[in-house]
Amino acid sequence: QVQLVESGGGSVQAGGSLRLSCVASKYTRGLYSMGWFRQAPGKEREGVAATRRDGTIDYADSVKGRFTISALIDEHKMYLQMDRLQPEDTAMYYCAADYFWRPFQVREFSHWGQGTQVTVSS
């Protein structure tokens, strides 16, 4: 199955920025949807942003205007530019992908990376 590897996480102060990257390898032909999800300690995994080959993009309300998703699906790469980070953005961030158009929901994506930690201090 497709393998997804995230990078770019780290620790920043509130108001700072980070750029996450996701690279897909093996069985990448036909990938259609890619997304970023996050999970904070003690909380359920939630969607951050998703994009698809047809150009549709979704953002969680909590990150609209601060985060920007971009993807070169044919090149098997996806990015998340995170600006004006806040302590509530602290979480493990996961890259997800699927071979079909998927709604912006955790349960809809079939393939997941191991995650990269983002910590925002106040």
Side-chain angles (χ1 to χ4, degrees), residues 45-83:
R45 193 170 296 189
E46 64 178 6
V48 177
T51 185
R52 309 163 189 90
R53 282 188 180 271
D54 64 0
T56 55
I57 294 177
D58 291 305
Y59 289 101
D61 288 343
S62 59
V63 307
K64 283 180 181 177
R66 300 189 298 123
F67 291 9
T68 304
I69 189 172
S70 59
L72 301 170
I73 296 182
D74 285 340
E75 296 183 20
H76 323 129
K77 299 176 183 177
M78 180 177 63
Y79 306 95
L80 185 68
Q81 177 66 39
M82 305 187 295
D83 297 317

Tab-separated table of all heavy atoms in Angstrom, residues 45-83:
chain	number	residue	atom	x	y	z
A	45	ARG	N	-9.109	12.388	16.782
A	45	ARG	CA	-8.449	12.900	15.583
A	45	ARG	C	-9.457	13.744	14.798
A	45	ARG	O	-10.633	13.356	14.655
A	45	ARG	CB	-7.932	11.748	14.722
A	45	ARG	CG	-6.969	12.177	13.638
A	45	ARG	CD	-6.315	10.980	12.977
A	45	ARG	NE	-5.485	10.235	13.928
A	45	ARG	CZ	-4.671	9.249	13.569
A	45	ARG	NH1	-4.575	8.897	12.284
A	45	ARG	NH2	-3.977	8.603	14.482
A	46	GLU	N	-8.987	14.865	14.265
A	46	GLU	CA	-9.881	15.767	13.537
A	46	GLU	C	-9.236	16.241	12.254
A	46	GLU	O	-8.013	16.245	12.110
A	46	GLU	CB	-10.212	16.986	14.413
A	46	GLU	CG	-9.011	17.848	14.749
A	46	GLU	CD	-9.370	19.084	15.572
A	46	GLU	OE1	-10.547	19.222	15.976
A	46	GLU	OE2	-8.479	19.909	15.790
A	47	GLY	N	-10.059	16.642	11.334
A	47	GLY	CA	-9.564	17.140	10.059
A	47	GLY	C	-9.003	18.536	10.175
A	47	GLY	O	-9.519	19.355	10.933
A	48	VAL	N	-7.953	18.802	9.420
A	48	VAL	CA	-7.357	20.132	9.344
A	48	VAL	C	-7.612	20.726	7.959
A	48	VAL	O	-8.142	21.817	7.821
A	48	VAL	CB	-5.850	20.079	9.625
A	48	VAL	CG1	-5.229	21.468	9.465
A	48	VAL	CG2	-5.580	19.526	11.018
A	49	ALA	N	-7.233	19.974	6.924
A	49	ALA	CA	-7.432	20.429	5.549
A	49	ALA	C	-7.317	19.235	4.614
A	49	ALA	O	-6.625	18.261	4.928
A	49	ALA	CB	-6.409	21.494	5.167
A	50	ALA	N	-8.002	19.308	3.495
A	50	ALA	CA	-7.935	18.231	2.515
A	50	ALA	C	-7.986	18.824	1.115
A	50	ALA	O	-8.566	19.891	0.894
A	50	ALA	CB	-9.070	17.239	2.710
A	51	THR	N	-7.392	18.112	0.183
A	51	THR	CA	-7.404	18.545	-1.212
A	51	THR	C	-7.525	17.323	-2.119
A	51	THR	O	-7.221	16.206	-1.688
A	51	THR	CB	-6.122	19.336	-1.541
A	51	THR	OG1	-6.200	19.842	-2.883
A	51	THR	CG2	-4.887	18.459	-1.412
A	52	ARG	N	-7.990	17.531	-3.327
A	52	ARG	CA	-8.235	16.418	-4.251
A	52	ARG	C	-7.828	16.821	-5.664
A	52	ARG	O	-7.674	17.997	-5.968
A	52	ARG	CB	-9.714	16.016	-4.211
A	52	ARG	CG	-10.199	15.789	-2.767
A	52	ARG	CD	-11.687	15.808	-2.660
A	52	ARG	NE	-12.143	15.805	-1.275
A	52	ARG	CZ	-12.356	16.898	-0.555
A	52	ARG	NH1	-12.113	18.097	-1.083
A	52	ARG	NH2	-12.801	16.806	0.688
A	53	ARG	N	-7.713	15.845	-6.540
A	53	ARG	CA	-7.307	16.103	-7.923
A	53	ARG	C	-8.273	17.043	-8.634
A	53	ARG	O	-7.884	17.752	-9.556
A	53	ARG	CB	-7.231	14.792	-8.703
A	53	ARG	CG	-5.978	13.988	-8.434
A	53	ARG	CD	-5.897	12.800	-9.384
A	53	ARG	NE	-4.716	12.016	-9.136
A	53	ARG	CZ	-3.548	12.242	-9.723
A	53	ARG	NH1	-3.429	13.243	-10.582
A	53	ARG	NH2	-2.513	11.466	-9.451
A	54	ASP	N	-9.539	17.040	-8.230
A	54	ASP	CA	-10.500	17.913	-8.926
A	54	ASP	C	-10.388	19.362	-8.459
A	54	ASP	O	-11.147	20.218	-8.906
A	54	ASP	CB	-11.929	17.400	-8.737
A	54	ASP	CG	-12.392	17.426	-7.283
A	54	ASP	OD1	-11.617	17.848	-6.406
A	54	ASP	OD2	-13.532	16.998	-7.029
A	55	GLY	N	-9.454	19.625	-7.536
A	55	GLY	CA	-9.206	20.990	-7.094
A	55	GLY	C	-9.993	21.424	-5.888
A	55	GLY	O	-9.795	22.533	-5.375
A	56	THR	N	-10.896	20.578	-5.415
A	56	THR	CA	-11.666	20.956	-4.233
A	56	THR	C	-10.774	20.928	-2.992
A	56	THR	O	-9.906	20.070	-2.850
A	56	THR	CB	-12.860	20.026	-4.024
A	56	THR	OG1	-12.393	18.662	-3.969
A	56	THR	CG2	-13.845	20.160	-5.164
A	57	ILE	N	-11.001	21.888	-2.133
A	57	ILE	CA	-10.223	22.018	-0.896
A	57	ILE	C	-11.179	22.280	0.253
A	57	ILE	O	-12.150	23.025	0.113
A	57	ILE	CB	-9.205	23.170	-1.000
A	57	ILE	CG1	-8.139	22.844	-2.053
A	57	ILE	CG2	-8.551	23.447	0.348
A	57	ILE	CD1	-7.129	23.950	-2.273
A	58	ASP	N	-10.897	21.654	1.377
A	58	ASP	CA	-11.661	21.879	2.595
A	58	ASP	C	-10.718	22.281	3.722
A	58	ASP	O	-9.600	21.772	3.802
A	58	ASP	CB	-12.405	20.605	3.019
A	58	ASP	CG	-13.516	20.246	2.063
A	58	ASP	OD1	-14.384	21.093	1.824
A	58	ASP	OD2	-13.506	19.108	1.555
A	59	TYR	N	-11.197	23.151	4.583
A	59	TYR	CA	-10.466	23.528	5.785
A	59	TYR	C	-11.389	23.416	6.987
A	59	TYR	O	-12.584	23.688	6.904
A	59	TYR	CB	-9.978	24.973	5.714
A	59	TYR	CG	-8.853	25.232	4.747
A	59	TYR	CD1	-9.097	25.792	3.507
A	59	TYR	CD2	-7.541	24.923	5.092
A	59	TYR	CE1	-8.060	26.045	2.616
A	59	TYR	CE2	-6.495	25.179	4.216
A	59	TYR	CZ	-6.769	25.732	2.977
A	59	TYR	OH	-5.735	25.986	2.107
A	60	ALA	N	-10.793	23.040	8.113
A	60	ALA	CA	-11.525	23.141	9.366
A	60	ALA	C	-11.722	24.623	9.680
A	60	ALA	O	-10.855	25.450	9.398
A	60	ALA	CB	-10.737	22.474	10.485
A	61	ASP	N	-12.870	24.945	10.266
A	61	ASP	CA	-13.148	26.349	10.591
A	61	ASP	C	-12.059	26.947	11.469
A	61	ASP	O	-11.728	28.127	11.358
A	61	ASP	CB	-14.502	26.457	11.290
A	61	ASP	CG	-15.662	26.223	10.339
A	61	ASP	OD1	-15.460	26.305	9.106
A	61	ASP	OD2	-16.770	25.941	10.834
A	62	SER	N	-11.491	26.140	12.337
A	62	SER	CA	-10.509	26.634	13.299
A	62	SER	C	-9.189	27.069	12.653
A	62	SER	O	-8.395	27.755	13.296
A	62	SER	CB	-10.229	25.567	14.358
A	62	SER	OG	-9.730	24.388	13.742
A	63	VAL	N	-8.957	26.651	11.411
A	63	VAL	CA	-7.674	26.996	10.779
A	63	VAL	C	-7.837	27.880	9.550
A	63	VAL	O	-6.844	28.312	8.965
A	63	VAL	CB	-6.880	25.727	10.396
A	63	VAL	CG1	-6.720	24.803	11.595
A	63	VAL	CG2	-7.533	24.990	9.228
A	64	LYS	N	-9.069	28.143	9.153
A	64	LYS	CA	-9.294	28.978	7.974
A	64	LYS	C	-8.637	30.334	8.152
A	64	LYS	O	-8.762	30.964	9.191
A	64	LYS	CB	-10.794	29.151	7.731
A	64	LYS	CG	-11.467	27.947	7.109
A	64	LYS	CD	-12.950	28.191	6.885
A	64	LYS	CE	-13.618	26.967	6.272
A	64	LYS	NZ	-15.088	27.161	6.115
A	65	GLY	N	-7.939	30.769	7.123
A	65	GLY	CA	-7.260	32.046	7.166
A	65	GLY	C	-5.881	31.994	7.792
A	65	GLY	O	-5.128	32.962	7.714
A	66	ARG	N	-5.537	30.876	8.416
A	66	ARG	CA	-4.213	30.727	9.038
A	66	ARG	C	-3.386	29.630	8.375
A	66	ARG	O	-2.165	29.735	8.287
A	66	ARG	CB	-4.363	30.408	10.526
A	66	ARG	CG	-5.093	31.455	11.321
A	66	ARG	CD	-5.012	31.176	12.818
A	66	ARG	NE	-5.630	29.902	13.180
A	66	ARG	CZ	-4.976	28.919	13.817
A	66	ARG	NH1	-3.711	29.064	14.145
A	66	ARG	NH2	-5.615	27.811	14.137
A	67	PHE	N	-4.039	28.565	7.931
A	67	PHE	CA	-3.344	27.427	7.333
A	67	PHE	C	-3.656	27.375	5.836
A	67	PHE	O	-4.761	27.701	5.409
A	67	PHE	CB	-3.800	26.115	7.954
A	67	PHE	CG	-3.378	25.897	9.385
A	67	PHE	CD1	-2.794	26.905	10.143
A	67	PHE	CD2	-3.581	24.668	9.984
A	67	PHE	CE1	-2.413	26.709	11.453
A	67	PHE	CE2	-3.212	24.438	11.301
A	67	PHE	CZ	-2.633	25.466	12.032
A	68	THR	N	-2.686	26.907	5.065
A	68	THR	CA	-2.869	26.751	3.624
A	68	THR	C	-2.355	25.385	3.196
A	68	THR	O	-1.193	25.060	3.428
A	68	THR	CB	-2.121	27.839	2.844
A	68	THR	OG1	-2.544	29.130	3.282
A	68	THR	CG2	-2.397	27.705	1.343
A	69	ILE	N	-3.230	24.609	2.564
A	69	ILE	CA	-2.834	23.296	2.046
A	69	ILE	C	-2.474	23.435	0.578
A	69	ILE	O	-3.083	24.208	-0.157
A	69	ILE	CB	-3.964	22.261	2.233
A	69	ILE	CG1	-3.472	20.857	1.888
A	69	ILE	CG2	-5.203	22.634	1.433
A	69	ILE	CD1	-4.480	19.757	2.234
A	70	SER	N	-1.467	22.708	0.170
A	70	SER	CA	-1.122	22.634	-1.240
A	70	SER	C	-0.633	21.223	-1.533
A	70	SER	O	-0.110	20.551	-0.647
A	70	SER	CB	-0.050	23.665	-1.614
A	70	SER	OG	1.119	23.473	-0.858
A	71	ALA	N	-0.835	20.789	-2.761
A	71	ALA	CA	-0.437	19.426	-3.095
A	71	ALA	C	-0.061	19.330	-4.563
A	71	ALA	O	-0.649	19.996	-5.404
A	71	ALA	CB	-1.552	18.447	-2.777
A	72	LEU	N	0.929	18.536	-4.818
A	72	LEU	CA	1.301	18.133	-6.166
A	72	LEU	C	1.050	16.635	-6.199
A	72	LEU	O	1.971	15.836	-6.029
A	72	LEU	CB	2.764	18.479	-6.442
A	72	LEU	CG	3.118	19.959	-6.314
A	72	LEU	CD1	4.626	20.157	-6.364
A	72	LEU	CD2	2.447	20.757	-7.416
A	73	ILE	N	-0.224	16.275	-6.372
A	73	ILE	CA	-0.591	14.870	-6.211
A	73	ILE	C	0.141	14.000	-7.236
A	73	ILE	O	0.552	12.878	-6.926
A	73	ILE	CB	-2.114	14.689	-6.287
A	73	ILE	CG1	-2.779	15.422	-5.113
A	73	ILE	CG2	-2.483	13.206	-6.243
A	73	ILE	CD1	-4.286	15.294	-5.039
A	74	ASP	N	0.343	14.516	-8.435
A	74	ASP	CA	1.069	13.742	-9.456
A	74	ASP	C	2.515	13.504	-9.042
A	74	ASP	O	3.148	12.550	-9.504
A	74	ASP	CB	1.025	14.453	-10.803
A	74	ASP	CG	-0.325	14.322	-11.467
A	74	ASP	OD1	-1.079	13.400	-11.085
A	74	ASP	OD2	-0.637	15.129	-12.354
A	75	GLU	N	3.044	14.399	-8.203
A	75	GLU	CA	4.407	14.233	-7.704
A	75	GLU	C	4.402	13.635	-6.297
A	75	GLU	O	5.459	13.544	-5.675
A	75	GLU	CB	5.130	15.573	-7.708
A	75	GLU	CG	5.312	16.154	-9.098
A	75	GLU	CD	6.091	17.461	-9.088
A	75	GLU	OE1	6.801	17.736	-8.099
A	75	GLU	OE2	5.980	18.216	-10.068
A	76	HIS	N	3.202	13.289	-5.812
A	76	HIS	CA	3.071	12.575	-4.553
A	76	HIS	C	3.559	13.395	-3.357
A	76	HIS	O	4.165	12.847	-2.431
A	76	HIS	CB	3.819	11.244	-4.617
A	76	HIS	CG	3.725	10.586	-5.952
A	76	HIS	ND1	4.832	10.141	-6.629
A	76	HIS	CD2	2.678	10.350	-6.758
A	76	HIS	CE1	4.458	9.640	-7.784
A	76	HIS	NE2	3.161	9.749	-7.894
A	77	LYS	N	3.298	14.712	-3.395
A	77	LYS	CA	3.726	15.581	-2.319
A	77	LYS	C	2.563	16.461	-1.869
A	77	LYS	O	1.724	16.859	-2.666
A	77	LYS	CB	4.877	16.474	-2.779
A	77	LYS	CG	6.122	15.724	-3.206
A	77	LYS	CD	7.170	16.680	-3.746
A	77	LYS	CE	8.392	15.924	-4.245
A	77	LYS	NZ	9.393	16.839	-4.854
A	78	MET	N	2.565	16.787	-0.586
A	78	MET	CA	1.557	17.660	-0.026
A	78	MET	C	2.194	18.492	1.068
A	78	MET	O	3.114	18.018	1.751
A	78	MET	CB	0.380	16.849	0.533
A	78	MET	CG	-0.721	17.677	1.148
A	78	MET	SD	-2.116	16.689	1.707
A	78	MET	CE	-1.346	15.677	2.974
A	79	TYR	N	1.694	19.721	1.219
A	79	TYR	CA	2.263	20.630	2.201
A	79	TYR	C	1.138	21.285	3.014
A	79	TYR	O	0.007	21.392	2.555
A	79	TYR	CB	3.090	21.722	1.515
A	79	TYR	CG	4.148	21.172	0.589
A	79	TYR	CD1	3.895	21.029	-0.768
A	79	TYR	CD2	5.383	20.764	1.082
A	79	TYR	CE1	4.861	20.504	-1.623
A	79	TYR	CE2	6.346	20.244	0.232
A	79	TYR	CZ	6.077	20.111	-1.116
A	79	TYR	OH	7.024	19.581	-1.947
A	80	LEU	N	1.503	21.735	4.195
A	80	LEU	CA	0.584	22.515	5.017
A	80	LEU	C	1.372	23.682	5.601
A	80	LEU	O	2.227	23.483	6.459
A	80	LEU	CB	-0.027	21.672	6.133
A	80	LEU	CG	-1.087	22.386	6.964
A	80	LEU	CD1	-2.342	22.656	6.124
A	80	LEU	CD2	-1.456	21.574	8.203
A	81	GLN	N	1.092	24.872	5.107
A	81	GLN	CA	1.699	26.075	5.651
A	81	GLN	C	0.835	26.553	6.808
A	81	GLN	O	-0.350	26.834	6.611
A	81	GLN	CB	1.802	27.172	4.584
A	81	GLN	CG	2.361	28.479	5.092
A	81	GLN	CD	3.812	28.369	5.516
A	81	GLN	OE1	4.609	27.686	4.881
A	81	GLN	NE2	4.165	29.029	6.614
A	82	MET	N	1.421	26.610	7.981
A	82	MET	CA	0.680	26.982	9.183
A	82	MET	C	1.236	28.297	9.720
A	82	MET	O	2.394	28.368	10.133
A	82	MET	CB	0.799	25.894	10.241
A	82	MET	CG	0.365	24.516	9.741
A	82	MET	SD	0.329	23.270	11.043
A	82	MET	CE	2.063	23.182	11.456
A	83	ASP	N	0.416	29.324	9.671
A	83	ASP	CA	0.804	30.648	10.156
A	83	ASP	C	-0.040	31.029	11.364
A	83	ASP	O	-1.122	30.476	11.579
A	83	ASP	CB	0.627	31.690	9.046
A	83	ASP	CG	1.521	31.409	7.856
A	83	ASP	OD1	2.702	31.068	8.055
A	83	ASP	OD2	1.034	31.523	6.713
